[in-house]
Amino acid sequence: MIIYFQFSFLLILFFLLLSTGHAQTSQQNKTYEAQQLIDVSKNSILQIRVIENTTNKKSSIGSGFYISSNGLIATNYHVVASVVQAPDSYHLEYLDYEGNSGSIELVDVDVVHDLAIVTTKNKSESKKPLDLAEIDAQQGEKLFAFGNPHDLGLTVVEGTNNGLLEKARNEKIHYTGSLNAGMSGGPTVNGNGEVVGINVSTAGNQISFLVPVKFLSELKNKAENEIQNPDKNFHERIEKQLFDDQQEFFSNLLKGTWPKEKIGELYLPAEINNQIKCWGNANNDEDRLIDKSVINCSTEDRIFISREFSTGQVHYSYSNVVNRDLTTIRFYEMYQAGLTPRRPRNSVSEEDVTNFKCHSDFLLIIDRSWRAHSCVRRYKKYPSLFDLVFDLTMIGEDSRGIGVVLLVSGIDQDMSQKLIARFVQEMTWQP
Amino acid sequence: MAAVIVEELNRLGHVINRHKISQYPTTIGRAFNNDVILEDPYVSPTHVTLVDSEEGCVDLKDNSLNGIVYCDKTITGSSITLKSGEEIVLGRTRLRFYAVDHQVSETRPIKYSIGFVKKWTQPVPLVLCLLVFVFMLLMDVMLSAKQELSFEKGLAELLTPLVFVVIWASVWTFVGRLIKHQSLFWVHVLIMVIFLMVSNVSGWLVGVLEFNLVSEPILDGFQICLLGLLIIWLIANHLRYSTSLFKLTRNLSASAFAISIAGIYYLNTMVSDDKIQFVPSYSTTIKAPYAKIRNDSNIETYLKDIESIYDIKLSDNN
């Protein structure tokens, strides 16, 4: 018996020692991977600085990395947007791991995917580029994000690939890792040191996003041509990218079948594609004089053009008001009190857009009268694109009213008319 | 010894006082021992002495520090002869002299019954008018209240137009007393109450007329014109008995005043508005279904009509 217990004790002790030893080895392996990647990659990763010309001081910083031996550097568009929008006021510089700095200039941009390619003016300063992965990262794969958060120097953040976002207008990798400001434009690499994504944004709480490397590969190919025949008209390129992107987005939207939502007795478009999410609300106060319910649907993504200007958003909302116990005149006073002119959801400044131009009329839709307003404003630098407001208010019913509002930023004339036509066509009445 | 009438005038030529001088010499000045006493600190204690004239209406001798202004010239220490109807200025006081046989202007026919105004500003008709006005305001509140009706809220809604009427009447009474030295507070109350009732009724009428895209701007325009005409009429009426101003001058001044108020409002709107409107401006007014709705367009026609809004020129003003 004693011998049995002694043997069991020795066996348990043996397994305990074994597992402790294994844990120590695993810990040592994990640290070694990140360290090795830093050693391999550090000279290829840069801090990108936007310098304001008057003060000659940093206006903003981001990260970037070499992608070719002839000095092409990848970063985010939003890191270098100031130089694109106000080239006379800003210029670009880099700072590398060894503390060397130098001038860089813009080569090409992809605003839709928030990418940009810059290059060193002095090609001899160029360092060994990072390899771009040819196979997508697997969901659950461990990844390492590099960058310069808050101007603290080169930092690595370990995280996990959670696959592509299902409901994004433009493909993004969902990365579980804490990206911080300043890391934008930096590379996220796999265990082999190949770039699988470019840091682009974070939602906090270890929820971050990467631009898939395939978009960088496409831009790199274009940039190789661009560097031979440089064309510095970035606004034309941006306009074409935005135009093509909205053409593709709205063409796909209009091709599909639109599921419907019931508002009162009216059926209206609901979540018309997987990038649009809808939320509802109603007034439930006991002493309410009218019943009012609201549904809001919108895309979540936007396309960054500059700090004051964004585009690429779609929003539509419905409101249903029903009279409880008021005279018709009082009901209409309250119905009218809830109506205000609406504006698109994107941010704009005076330099970016014109004033709105509107047309109002009465429309007959599904045998009911509606007051219709259509307003557009043009983009000053990208004149083929508009922001659209389409506002419908149902009139002529004693005890109920319905409002439909469609707000779109970054759409061309042809698409906007097709979108309005489709919206109206989808409205059906079923008592 | 011919008697003479001395008229004291304000700046606008309204007669504020008359004195009949039958005895000479007569003195005019600020001191209490004068025959005509003027309340003007720029007038000397014994400013002028009037004596009978053989050639003109009256002779004046100046005894003052500041002199007298006659025919745009300042005369100090010497005498002048005035004809009937001529004016002089003593200090800041205008005096006009008439011989007693001076021909007066023809009698003006009264085109309205003075009794009408007096009748309606008597307590009973005035109170009845006010009651009708309050009733109309109450109807407006009950029909259009956007929240639960209660005594306090109803009272708050009523007070605003009533306070506006009181302020309006007070201002015009003050202006009237300044210009004409007479003005009746209740007349101005009545005028504004009638204006607001007409405005209210026109708003209700538009509510049942056809709902189209022009009825709202027409109503706004009608109310603004009505207010403008009211202001012009009030000013012209206050200046009506001015002897210093021609009829054309009076009417133009009144019109210019009303137009300048509109101009200041418009300028203020232009200056305070942002160069770029980030929210489109379109009317969100709707009408209850008592009003017939204008003919509706179909979606095809509508889409054709809105093509023009995309034609936005990229200019400096845009």
Side-chain angles (χ1 to χ4, degrees), chain A residues 22 43 46 66 72 100 106 177 181 198 261 333 408:
Chain A
H22 177 71
N43 288 320
L46 308 166
Y66 283 102
L72 292 181
N100 302 315
L106 214 45
I198 297 88
E261 189 86 50
E333 286 289 327
V408 182

Side-chain angles (χ1 to χ4, degrees), chain A residues 48-52 57-62 79-83 90-93:
Chain A
I48 306 289
R49 298 172 157 189
V50 177
I51 309 293
E52 198 279 316
K57 296 284 180 210
K58 286 180 290 193
S59 155
S60 58
I61 57 166
V79 171
V80 300
S82 305
V83 177
Y90 299 93
H91 65 273
L92 293 169
E93 286 180 4

Side-chain angles (χ1 to χ4, degrees), chain A residues 229-241:
Chain A
N229 303 305
D231 169 17
K232 293 300 176 192
N233 194 339
F234 291 104
H235 289 309
E236 268 185 25
R237 274 184 250 180
I238 291 172
E239 182 177 10
K240 184 167 186 324
Q241 287 167 9

